[in-house]
Amino acid sequence: MSTNNTIFAGSKPKPEEKKSEEYKPALASYKPILYKIKLRAALDSSDAPHLDPSSSIWKDLHSLVDQDVLNDAYALTLQVKDLIHSADPDLVLETRREPKVFGRFQVKASYGGYDKHGNASFSKFKAVSDFISFRIPTGVPWMLSNIQRLVAAITKLDGKYYIKPDKNGGQVEILDRHVVRETMPKDLCCFVYAYLPGIGHVIEFQVNHPFASFAFGRDSYLRDHPEENAKLVDLWREKFYPTMRDILMKEVQPTEEEKDLIKAKFLKLYKGKQSDPDLIDILEGEGFLAQMA
């Protein structure tokens, strides 16, 4: 269980990002405009407060997506951040560093109703749901409250949202800002998707423990740079991620036996590999540092 309440509980870090850093590409095609018109027309026709990942609209949008659409979405990142902060000024929002790449969209769009493992999936929705993306860092004890805060902000802004069930069966359902069903968390992350009328794109929010964010970031990097596999650690090997997840989800300090288990897995993983100081810092915050030394 983390003791760093300031960061993990969702207080906004200082200093704030400067407006001068906003990404403003030139509009090179009409597709961003058509994309947003088509999406808004589909969503405005429904009074439902939730996004429906099974809707046919997501597949219909695929033909309009190009790099200009992705750049347009990225250019709206700071505007989204300002909107969310107008509803909840202290919610931490970590932004994506660069626009999504069209080739990555094409890969996701090619799955056709399945995930990359061949399992049934809302892949048509997933392909267009993260052109704008944020992470909300959280410790396990504050995960649910941060999800509630985010949903309250989206609702206050007249937006629609969808809370994705986690792969272990966890699910959060919120009605009138109150949790009505909660078998979550069963993982160190929760994906919340939102549509805000003034933005025109679906926005992905990852409410993540920092360990999950580090692991997912490493996954993405190794996916895009397979030549680095010999140097960098894959945190799914040796069942390191699920072992850490199960320990952290208990919301208590790890036992000596658990520390020894993590130490053994860690040393085996990192033998001959490049060290990861950021991961060491995360483990230190969760009571594992003495075992890493």
Side-chain angles (χ1 to χ4, degrees):
M1 175 177 176
S2 171
T3 57
N4 189 347
N5 295 9
T6 301
I7 296 298
F8 289 179
S11 298
K12 187 165 61 178
K14 304 293 183 181
E16 279 290 286
E17 295 181 34
K18 297 180 180 179
K19 296 291 184 181
S20 60
E21 297 176 357
E22 186 172 357
Y23 181 85
K24 295 182 178 180
L27 186 62
S29 81
Y30 59 87
K31 283 191 175 181
I33 297 173
L34 291 182
Y35 180 95
K36 289 186 283 190
I37 289 174
K38 189 176 185 69
L39 178 56
R40 180 161 190 168
L43 295 182
D44 283 354
S45 65
S46 170
D47 293 329
H50 303 113
L51 295 173
D52 179 4
S54 67
S55 171
S56 62
I57 180 59
W58 314 117
K59 172 62 175 176
D60 295 342
L61 291 170
H62 287 194
S63 63
L64 291 174
V65 178
D66 61 9
Q67 191 61 52
D68 291 320
V69 171
L70 302 178
N71 291 347
D72 175 75
Y74 183 74
L76 294 167
T77 297
L78 291 185
Q79 185 176 336
V80 174
K81 188 173 184 179
D82 287 344
L83 281 171
I84 295 295
H85 281 160
S86 72
D88 188 333
D90 295 320
L91 190 64
V92 176
L93 296 171
E94 298 178 348
T95 61
R96 173 183 277 149
R97 295 181 180 179
E98 57 189 14
K100 191 175 185 69
V101 176
F102 182 60
R104 182 59 186 157
F105 160 77
Q106 290 178 303
V107 170
K108 285 189 172 183
S110 71
Y111 292 150
Y114 298 89
D115 64 18
K116 62 183 178 181
H117 304 295
N119 302 312
S121 170
F122 294 131
S123 59
K124 297 171 186 177
F125 169 74
K126 290 169 66 177
V128 296
S129 65
D130 66 345
F131 298 170
I132 305 173
S133 183
F134 294 91
R135 285 176 176 167
I136 299 175
T138 182
V140 172
W142 305 283
M143 180 176 284
L144 187 58
S145 65
N146 277 326
I147 295 169
Q148 288 178 288
R149 288 174 61 184
L150 175 60
V151 168
I154 294 166
T155 303
K156 186 175 181 179
L157 296 167
D158 297 321
K160 298 176 184 286
Y161 65 90
Y162 166 63
I163 304 175
K164 180 183 176 182
D166 71 48
K167 293 182 179 180
N168 300 309
Q171 173 69 79
V172 176
E173 292 184 13
I174 296 178
L175 180 63
D176 295 330
R177 303 184 186 181
H178 298 288
V179 175
V180 295
R181 185 164 74 92
E182 189 262 307
T183 58
M184 174 89 176
K186 290 188 177 181
D187 205 343
L188 299 173
C189 60
C190 180
F191 290 79
V192 180
Y193 299 92
Y195 176 81
L196 302 178
I199 298 301
H201 293 276
V202 177
I203 307 151
E204 177 188 80
F205 296 90
Q206 298 181 25
V207 186
N208 287 354
H209 187 283
F211 176 70
S213 292
F214 185 93
F216 298 162
R218 175 58 52 83
D219 290 347
S220 296
Y221 185 82
L222 290 178
R223 178 195 66 218
D224 296 336
H225 302 86
E227 71 279 2
E228 298 286 349
N229 273 284
K231 181 173 65 175
L232 299 177
V233 165
D234 177 351
L235 292 170
W236 293 90
R237 294 183 59 199
E238 301 298 326
K239 297 184 177 180
F240 192 76
Y241 179 90
T243 302
M244 279 292 298
R245 176 198 64 208
D246 293 345
I247 293 173
L248 293 174
M249 293 305 297
K250 295 192 298 184
E251 299 187 37
V252 296
Q253 291 293 332
T255 65
E256 293 303 314
E257 182 179 356
E258 289 169 337
K259 291 178 182 180
D260 289 341
L261 176 62
I262 292 300
K263 176 183 179 180
K265 288 180 177 292
F266 181 89
L267 293 176
K268 189 172 183 179
L269 270 179
Y270 277 86
K271 185 177 181 179
K273 298 280 189 175
Q274 179 176 298
S275 177
D276 284 314
D278 289 344
L279 178 59
I280 295 293
D281 288 343
I282 293 169
L283 295 175
E284 177 185 25
E286 296 293 353
F288 292 99
L289 180 64
Q291 297 299 313
M292 298 298 107

